[in-house]
Amino acid sequence: MAQPVATARPRNHSIDVMKGLLVWGMILAHVIKFSADRQWKQVQLGEFIGDASSFAGFVFCFGYTARFAYLNDQPRYRQMISTIIKLVVAYYISGLMSMLLIENQPLTWPRFVDLIIFQKLPMYCEFLISFAILLSVAMLARTPLRWLLQRPWLMLGLIGLLLGTTFFPYAKVTSVPLSLLVGTNPPLAYPFPALQYSPIFFLGMLFAQQQWRGSWPTWLLGGLGFAWLVWRSLEQQPFNRFPPSWHWIVGGLAAALLWFSVASLLARSSWFVRILQPIGANTLVYLLLSNLIIFKSIPFAQPLGLVYSIVYTAIIIGVIWFVLSISRPTPAAQR
């Protein structure tokens, strides 16, 4: 007999630590793209690891936390809708920063409208809409998802079937808004299609449902899969990120498992939890503020090596951490 879906969330610091690690990887990848000397092999490898790990890892974490936050016995539609709206607003804010600071062109009314209706996808923010779409799917399909999560083999079968969406005929998609759901060929757009990344999202839900932790199967599958993806990159064998090929999605899924395993190990130390948990709990804040710092520093950037890129990343995270540490919540009487 299937076990009922649990209603209480067991505290698992590993997912908080994992999000903190991913914030470091995300910001480092952005720093390398804009400020590093990408002719160096070490820099190229650092950028690749950041690209392959960050979005897939965040999708896994998003599925993990969504299972506990939104798929309990009591529907929380208002909270889900609020989160979706926050993701869309964060996309608009980061999109405006990208258009103004990277493209360095006047913000005309037609360009602003294109941003609002998703006819234009500015760089380094389009993935936020993918999160909004995935959460919308979880909200609309709440009942069947709860049923599947109680039957892990069926859920794994669905995940396997969804991996087949990477063979979608992308060339047939000529709508930019539609590409956010199913992908398209560049240069029309460079989206992170929600359908192709959904296996990682649902795998995160399944890990949360089954309360799986980092163990030797996750280390083995994650390590081998990610090593295979890195090897393909070093050997310059073809695989597509835009639109995502099955190599990229499977490699990203393996990267998520690997980082989850690493985070499960680090979460045993209260020291790592104290450092990384606050960062992981404020992912959107770190994304928006780091983008603003990086975009604004582009005209003054000098080519950096990998070590200096890591140092610059640490400085950015330190600045954001300090800003958050000196902020104070509004007193209840003044709200």
Side-chain angles (χ1 to χ4, degrees):
M1 181 176 179
Q3 296 295 320
V5 176
T7 58
R9 174 178 180 175
R11 191 62 182 174
N12 181 9
H13 291 298
S14 60
I15 208 69
D16 302 318
V17 171
M18 180 175 174
K19 288 193 291 184
L21 290 171
L22 290 170
V23 167
W24 274 86
M26 172 189 67
I27 297 177
L28 176 61
H30 288 178
V31 166
I32 289 175
K33 288 181 187 297
F34 289 110
S35 304
D37 185 350
R38 297 164 74 183
Q39 294 182 350
W40 293 16
K41 287 290 185 181
Q42 303 95 319
V43 171
Q44 294 175 13
L45 183 59
E47 179 183 17
F48 174 80
I49 291 175
D51 287 339
S53 303
S54 296
F55 183 68
F58 280 125
V59 169
F60 179 91
C61 292
F62 196 53
Y64 193 103
T65 56
R67 157 61 192 90
F68 287 115
Y70 308 122
L71 297 185
N72 292 323
D73 290 337
Q74 297 298 324
R76 304 176 71 178
Y77 295 120
R78 180 176 297 180
Q79 185 177 353
M80 296 176 82
I81 293 172
S82 174
T83 302
I84 292 168
I85 292 174
K86 288 178 182 178
L87 288 167
V88 175
V89 171
Y91 161 77
Y92 287 143
I93 293 173
S94 190
L96 284 172
M97 290 192 298
S98 177
M99 292 169 67
L100 292 172
L101 300 177
I102 296 180
E103 297 178 14
N104 197 26
Q105 295 180 6
L107 183 61
T108 62
W109 179 250
R111 295 178 72 235
F112 179 74
V113 172
D114 284 344
L115 170 69
I116 296 298
I117 64 175
F118 310 114
Q119 286 292 341
K120 176 178 176 57
L121 304 180
M123 294 185 292
Y124 307 107
C125 60
E126 60 275 82
F127 58 88
L128 291 168
I129 298 301
S130 300
F131 287 127
I133 294 173
L134 289 169
L135 185 53
S136 299
V137 170
M139 180 175 65
L140 296 174
R142 180 179 178 275
T143 299
L145 276 178
R146 281 167 53 86
W147 185 85
L148 282 168
L149 286 170
Q150 297 176 54
R151 297 160 177 83
W153 287 109
L154 287 179
M155 192 64 175
L156 287 172
L158 174 63
I159 290 171
L161 288 174
L162 288 171
L163 287 174
T165 61
T166 54
F167 297 97
F168 188 85
Y170 296 112
K172 294 183 179 297
V173 179
T174 57
S175 166
V176 176
L178 181 60
S179 71
L180 290 166
L181 178 63
V182 297
T184 189
N185 284 330
L188 178 65
Y190 295 83
F192 294 78
L195 183 63
Q196 282 75 10
Y197 281 95
S198 63
I200 306 174
F201 178 73
F202 292 136
L203 186 67
M205 281 190 170
L206 187 58
F207 264 67
Q209 170 66 28
Q210 301 299 320
Q211 299 182 32
W212 289 336
R213 300 291 187 265
S215 57
W216 73 263
T218 57
W219 277 104
L220 182 63
L221 293 174
L224 289 177
F226 190 60
W228 165 73
L229 189 64
V230 171
W231 174 79
R232 286 184 61 91
S233 174
L234 294 175
E235 293 296 317
Q236 297 183 339
Q237 295 193 22
F239 60 85
N240 289 330
R241 183 187 180 198
F242 299 108
S245 64
W246 72 269
H247 310 92
W248 185 260
I249 297 298
V250 171
L253 193 152
L257 291 180
L258 182 59
W259 281 114
F260 182 76
S261 301
V262 172
S264 297
L265 181 63
L266 296 181
R268 299 176 184 176
S269 166
S270 59
W271 186 82
F272 281 108
V273 172
R274 284 196 302 270
I275 291 177
L276 294 171
Q277 186 178 34
I279 298 175
N282 293 283
T283 302
L284 268 181
V285 176
Y286 277 88
L287 166 69
L288 292 175
L289 293 184
S290 66
N291 277 354
L292 176 60
I293 294 171
I294 294 170
F295 294 168
K296 193 63 178 176
S297 65
I298 289 174
F300 312 102
Q302 297 294 325
L304 303 175
L306 183 60
V307 174
Y308 284 107
S309 297
I310 294 173
V311 171
Y312 187 29
T313 299
I315 292 172
I316 292 173
I317 290 177
V319 168
I320 299 172
W321 176 88
F322 179 74
V323 170
L324 291 175
S325 71
I326 62 176
S327 63
R328 294 290 183 270
T330 303
Q334 300 179 15
R335 293 175 185 168

